[in-house]
Amino acid sequence: GQSLEQPSEVTAVEGAIVQINCTYQTSGFYGLSWYQQHDGGAPTFLSYNALDGLEETGRFSSFLSRSDSYGYLLLQELQMKDSASYFCAVRGNYQLIWGAGTKLIIKP
Amino acid sequence: EAGVTQFPSHSVIEKGQTVTLRCDPISGHDNLYWYRRVMGKEIKFLLHFVKESKQDESGMPNNRFLAERTGGTYSTLKVQPAELEDSGVYFCASSQGNTEGETQYFGPGTRLLVL
């Protein structure tokens, strides 16, 4: 079967750094994406990794290791507005295969 | 530029009734996708349109679900008759192309509750 594993919940302090891990097992792989979703909102694209290594976009970075079927999202200088659910998703042929999401709770 | 819009935002219906969800993709996006999240589980792919043609409908759960995209613009997803297990959030997404790194842009979803 196809599955993505990520922690259900992560708690961090404002201003800190947090890493959300994702491991995947899928029949096809064209890249790993990360999406952010605030309660009741649309999933919003954050990053995409097709090749091994680190991609940086402002306070957010994403890493991929295809040999380990593993990636992570790194959020730096956490702000209260970063409180949301974060989803990893593998790009299959055309569709996205999703993890269950990680709820990030940020404390002041 | 307007994003992906979905209507209605919420729908509450009784088992056996029919519901039609609508998705308006970003203008110019040929690719349109439907996904759903049921009972707090993972978001699951339903189907993919390229313009008005169904490219992949392997995720459609059964024949009670019918998706159309006449004219290659907006799309509708009809559930008839609705069952309790159809409750969840239905998301629509669109992308300009469908290459490997193409970003899919999501709408806010329609929250469907079947009683």
Side-chain angles (χ1 to χ4, degrees):
Chain A
Q2 304 193 100
S3 67
L4 285 82
E5 299 291 330
Q6 53 181 129
S8 59
E9 187 175 291
V10 172
T11 301
V13 177
E14 191 175 14
I17 299 173
V18 71
Q19 178 174 313
I20 300 174
N21 298 320
C22 174
T23 57
Y24 58 88
Q25 183 177 4
T26 57
S27 57
F29 181 83
Y30 293 96
L32 184 70
S33 296
W34 288 91
Y35 282 78
Q36 177 193 61
Q37 185 187 27
H38 288 97
D39 283 345
T44 304
F45 174 79
L46 291 177
S47 68
Y48 173 75
N49 294 68
L51 303 175
D52 290 353
L54 190 69
E55 295 280 344
E56 298 181 66
T57 308
R59 295 187 296 114
F60 294 0
S61 303
S62 57
F63 172 83
L64 174 66
S65 169
R66 288 174 298 171
S67 61
D68 296 321
S69 298
Y70 164 76
Y72 66 73
L73 179 69
L74 189 74
L75 298 86
Q76 303 182 69
E77 301 173 18
L78 285 173
Q79 301 175 11
M80 297 303 293
K81 68 178 182 180
D82 298 329
S83 296
S85 290
Y86 292 84
F87 295 86
C88 58
V90 163
R91 180 67 187 266
N93 195 5
Y94 300 106
Q95 61 179 278
L96 290 171
I97 304 161
W98 295 76
T102 298
K103 185 173 183 179
L104 175 60
I105 299 170
I106 300 175
K107 297 184 176 181
Chain B
E1 177 183 305
V4 177
T5 58
Q6 294 186 243
F7 182 83
S9 59
H10 296 76
S11 180
V12 181
I13 61 173
E14 292 187 350
K15 176 183 172 181
Q17 290 185 323
T18 298
V19 63
T20 301
L21 315 180
R22 172 170 171 145
C23 169
D24 286 78
I26 293 172
S27 178
H29 281 194
D30 287 340
N31 293 267
L32 187 148
Y33 312 81
W34 283 98
Y35 294 85
R36 75 171 180 176
R37 190 178 189 191
V38 174
M39 295 290 288
K41 296 184 179 178
E42 296 86 354
I43 299 172
K44 295 281 192 181
F45 168 80
L46 295 178
L47 86 160
H48 169 213
F49 283 100
V50 178
K51 296 184 180 179
E52 66 276 8
S53 300
K54 291 177 185 175
Q55 181 75 29
D56 179 359
E57 52 183 331
S58 61
M60 294 288 264
N62 52 61
N63 59 9
R64 295 186 294 103
F65 289 75
L66 175 64
E68 295 179 323
R69 194 184 181 195
T70 307
T73 54
Y74 71 91
S75 174
T76 59
L77 179 64
K78 181 162 69 174
V79 185
Q80 178 182 31
E83 298 289 344
L84 300 179
E85 63 265 24
D86 301 332
S87 297
V89 184
Y90 290 76
F91 292 103
C92 174
S94 72
S95 66
Q96 191 162 29
N98 55 24
T99 56
E100 294 174 6
E102 197 78 37
T103 300
Q104 295 183 18
Y105 296 90
F106 281 75
T110 293
R111 281 145 189 80
L112 175 64
L113 178 61
V114 183
L115 302 176

